[in-house]
Amino acid sequence: MTPEELSTAIRSALQGAVHDGQLQVDVPADLRVERPRQRGHGDWATSLALQLAKGAGMPPRDVATILAERIGQVPGVAGVEVAGPGFLNITLDAASAGELARTIVRAGPAYGTNGSEHGRCTNVEFVSANPTGPIHLGGTRWAAVGDSLARIIEANGGTVTREYYFNDHGAQIDRFSRSLLAAAKGDPAPEDGYAGDYVLDIAHRVMDREAGILELPDEQAQERFRAIGVTMMFEEIKASLHDFGVDFDVYFHENDLHADGAVDKAIARLTERGEMFERDGALWLRTSAYGDDKDRVVIRSNGEPSYFSGDLAYYLNKRERGADRVFIMLGADHHGYIGRLMAMCQAFGDAPHENLEVLIGQMVNLVKDGKPVRMSKRAGTVVVLEDLLDAVGKDAARYALTRSSTDSTMDIDLDLLTRHSNENPVYYVQYAHARTSNVARLAAEDGVARSDGFDPSLLVDPTEAALLATLGDYPRVVAQSATLREPHRVARYLEDLAGRFHKWYDTCRVRPLTVEDEVTDLHRTRLWLNDATRQVLANGLGLLGVSAPDRM
RNA sequence: GCCCCCGUAGCUCAGGGGAUAGAGCACCGCCCUCCGGAGGCGGGGGCGUAGGUUCGAAUCCUACCGGGGGCACCA
């Protein structure tokens, strides 16, 4: 029995009590069972009676008693107990609980998925780092989290477009190309330019590609450096993201919005809607009408479009390409941007926080010996995606960046990058998966086969009940991670599951102790449970973009 | 001044109102003649402060304290 099935059964029990006049309450829309923290409080618990007591005009324990009697009749429920102020603690019979192992194995990769996002197309824009250098830690965090979130929404049945906004239009590109030119000439980097070995590296590669580029007049040379250098940088970013397991469906160039008239179109649309106005020689969007602090310039008084103009066009473009919902993931240093983006959304006639969501992630700090380290090119403490990848590998890097909430600033310890340590919880989870693989392999050698027997009533060990209950939680974790946009919940869940598995493994053998011992249904049934665990670990790790190794 | 995020164990962090607040790491002590000890068992220690809402608050609200990040005709 899955927790969903149990919840449904409880709902029926409640409806029955209402129907028979035992209780006079509204049946709540959200009715669910929870895993009690304490052992001894049953397999599942609900505080339903406590919630209903007031409306029913009865003491909570009386409500609980009425419900307990009815829930106790549900097939598969071994016992119901009224506890404390009115909790209902429910124990399933082993057979009913154990059936879940077979359900999971049969569902395979589909276990935990659902259709709640079916028919909805979400455009997820993340990373979007400027092509003026490698991806820093902040962008790396978004790469991991954004890709996971995309996977999770897909697991909820949604269609996702992963999108990278490639900012190749404005002043920072000029600074980058001037920096390349300066580096090529052996001059120091411009005041407001970019420094670092990678600039010199790109400059050299541009010169290799285009011999004689330095013979050109500065202006033309700079333009060549821009065109070639930006493309090279872009390819590098793409390649390192790929190595990180993140591939975008669309790399969108800001330049195109300006070149193909998309900006003009967006402005025309907003003008039609009466949202634009002129002041001081500039063209403005009246974002203050929709909650923004102030109005925002779209075309500057010098005739140049502002950065914001690209956002207008880009949003419209995404919607016209079929996105029902647009996610934009930004660093905390951009939180001040939310107001104008939401106002823009509304100005287009869309629903803010429905058609558009801005997800803010806090910063990543570099730490050494518990002390913050400023990222400094001179000190060699700039850490980029490749550094993290080289140091700990894709799995550990992605896991570490995904396992905590994006609401918290994150510290990355510099020592981790040099120590190659096994402290990462990812190994705990991966090891559990490797163990399940090992057990399955050895069981097969011993002639233990799932197909020969399955008797879930044999799964009576407390560690088996705990493992089963945790396995049953997985679908809700996937659903909740999606609705809250919080991939870290999957990671935390996997750590819990891995722990339950390790404890079970320590207590319950899947294979006979020796070759002389007979293979029984207990062994076979436990193999089902082992394989179910393996499946869920693999499914969950997949959502994080982390591999599920058979050996470590 | 205004806005956003955070403050939970020595450290890094989970805990979207529920029972005795958890995990990893670190520290101490144990556990395979038995599926991989990258494991398991036990121990010490914690919700920034003060109010409020609630049968019940780490969780919701308010104020304050502390830390981080923002408040451009820059991108």
Side-chain angles (χ1 to χ4, degrees):
Chain A
M1 178 181 290
T2 67
E4 284 71 27
E5 288 163 352
L6 181 58
S7 299
T8 304
I10 293 172
R11 173 182 296 276
S12 302
L14 175 57
Q15 282 165 340
V18 171
H19 182 262
D20 296 348
Q22 280 180 294
L23 288 172
Q24 288 164 1
V25 290
D26 296 327
V27 178
D30 186 41
L31 193 163
R32 49 164 72 173
V33 292
E34 294 168 355
R35 271 296 288 175
R37 285 212 190 90
Q38 280 319 109
R39 255 181 267 244
H41 287 165
D43 295 323
W44 297 98
T46 175
S47 58
L48 182 62
L50 289 158
Q51 292 157 28
L52 295 176
K54 201 172 205 173
M58 297 168 68
R61 286 192 64 102
D62 292 358
V63 178
T65 304
I66 291 169
L67 291 173
E69 211 163 291
R70 287 172 178 268
I71 295 168
Q73 309 299 316
V74 173
V77 171
V80 187
E81 186 181 77
V82 178
F87 290 103
L88 285 167
N89 294 337
I90 300 163
T91 307
L92 301 181
D93 68 54
S96 172
E99 185 60 38
L100 180 65
R102 186 154 65 180
T103 304
I104 291 170
V105 170
R106 288 191 172 153
Y111 179 68
T113 61
N114 68 77
S116 63
E117 289 284 329
H118 185 72
R120 182 177 312 176
C121 180
T122 305
N123 184 296
V124 184
E125 180 201 331
F126 57 109
V127 186
S128 297
N130 292 343
T132 55
I135 296 176
H136 287 58
L137 281 181
T140 307
R141 182 182 199 176
W142 273 131
V145 175
D147 184 57
S148 272
L149 181 57
R151 290 167 190 247
I152 289 165
I153 289 172
E154 286 167 341
N156 282 268
T159 305
V160 176
T161 303
R162 291 168 177 77
E163 191 136 337
Y164 188 115
Y165 189 42
F166 188 52
N167 203 229
D168 55 357
H169 184 70
Q172 88 285 8
I173 294 294
D174 292 338
R175 290 204 289 273
F176 181 58
S177 51
R178 281 204 306 280
S179 305
L180 289 177
L181 179 58
K185 287 177 165 178
D187 294 342
E191 185 83 0
D192 57 352
Y194 296 86
D197 293 343
Y198 76 92
V199 174
L200 193 60
D201 177 53
I202 297 273
H204 281 307
R205 281 166 51 195
V206 174
M207 286 190 287
D208 290 345
R209 172 90 65 88
E210 197 146 305
I213 186 170
L214 288 180
E215 316 300 320
L216 295 169
D218 272 5
E219 202 172 308
Q220 286 177 35
Q222 190 188 319
E223 168 51 27
R224 294 308 296 156
F225 272 109
R226 186 199 64 74
I228 303 171
V230 165
T231 305
M232 284 178 169
M233 201 68 248
F234 180 43
E235 290 307 321
E236 276 194 16
I237 288 172
K238 240 168 129 169
S240 54
L241 283 167
H242 176 77
D243 293 341
F244 199 54
V246 179
D247 293 289
F248 287 84
D249 301 302
V250 176
Y251 289 89
F252 199 95
H253 292 250
E254 183 191 4
N255 240 340
D256 293 347
L257 293 170
H258 296 278
D260 72 2
V263 169
D264 296 336
K265 181 176 164 187
I267 291 174
R269 176 77 60 90
L270 291 166
T271 303
E272 253 171 58
R273 300 183 60 89
E275 308 288 3
M276 308 292 299
F277 68 96
E278 284 185 44
R279 186 172 69 204
D280 304 331
L283 187 63
W284 303 66
L285 177 64
R286 201 183 307 279
T287 54
S288 65
Y290 301 112
D292 194 14
D293 302 336
K294 51 187 122 178
D295 297 321
R296 304 291 171 177
V297 168
V298 177
I299 305 289
R300 293 188 269 163
S301 53
N302 65 5
E304 290 291 315
S306 70
Y307 181 78
F308 188 44
S309 70
D311 287 330
L312 306 179
Y314 192 26
Y315 174 75
L316 189 62
N317 175 284
K318 284 173 181 168
R319 294 279 284 131
E320 288 181 342
R321 272 187 285 135
D324 301 304
R325 191 168 61 185
V326 171
F327 286 0
I328 302 177
M329 311 178 100
L330 299 174
D333 51 342
H334 284 79
H335 108 271
Y337 223 65
I338 298 174
R340 79 195 65 172
L341 289 175
M342 287 303 167
M344 165 200 77
C345 171
Q346 218 171 333
F348 276 120
D350 280 351
H353 306 292
E354 281 176 38
N355 299 111
L356 175 64
E357 281 183 45
V358 180
L359 309 180
I360 296 295
Q362 298 300 313
M363 302 300 204
V364 180
N365 299 315
L366 209 53
V367 170
K368 188 177 172 60
D369 302 326
K371 301 235 168 83
V373 180
R374 269 200 113 50
M375 292 236 203
S376 151
K377 278 163 190 159
R378 268 193 310 260
T381 53
V382 173
V383 176
V384 299
L385 191 153
E386 288 96 326
D387 298 332
L388 201 58
L389 212 48
D390 291 346
V392 301
K394 185 193 79 163
D395 287 343
R398 285 194 64 148
Y399 193 89
L401 291 169
T402 313
R403 80 182 282 269
S404 40
S405 161
T406 54
D407 283 343
S408 300
T409 54
M410 172 177 282
D411 293 334
I412 295 283
D413 194 326
L414 253 187
D415 293 336
L416 271 183
L417 303 183
T418 50
R419 205 165 52 216
H420 241 279
S421 107
N422 269 8
E423 285 166 21
N424 194 318
V426 74
Y427 300 114
Y428 185 77
V429 177
Q430 286 185 314
Y431 182 56
H433 183 270
R435 267 187 160 173
T436 60
S437 301
N438 203 45
V439 167
R441 185 172 52 79
L442 294 172
E445 284 174 13
D446 288 357
V448 181
R450 284 199 313 247
S451 53
D452 293 344
F454 178 66
D455 180 359
S457 68
L458 299 173
L459 298 175
V460 294
D461 192 88
T463 61
E464 296 181 318
L467 180 56
L468 282 162
T470 303
L471 290 169
D473 261 342
Y474 180 66
R476 287 199 294 188
V477 172
V478 174
Q480 195 182 41
S481 298
T483 53
L484 295 178
R485 328 290 186 223
E486 289 184 349
H488 77 271
R489 287 171 185 272
V490 173
R492 298 297 175 151
Y493 167 81
L494 290 174
E495 288 169 34
D496 184 33
L497 177 59
R500 304 279 180 197
F501 172 76
H502 286 311
K503 286 176 177 61
W504 174 65
Y505 173 93
D506 227 55
T507 314
C508 298
R509 282 190 65 87
V510 174
R511 308 157 54 204
L513 192 53
T514 69
V515 286
E516 285 84 35
D517 289 323
E518 197 190 342
V519 174
T520 67
D521 272 356
L522 179 59
H523 299 123
R524 300 183 187 105
T525 306
R526 282 180 174 166
L527 182 59
W528 281 90
L529 181 55
N530 176 79
D531 291 356
T533 306
R534 180 161 183 253
Q535 185 63 250
V536 175
L537 287 169
N539 291 1
L541 286 169
L543 293 181
L544 301 176
V546 173
S547 68
D550 291 328
R551 287 167 203 275
M552 293 175 68

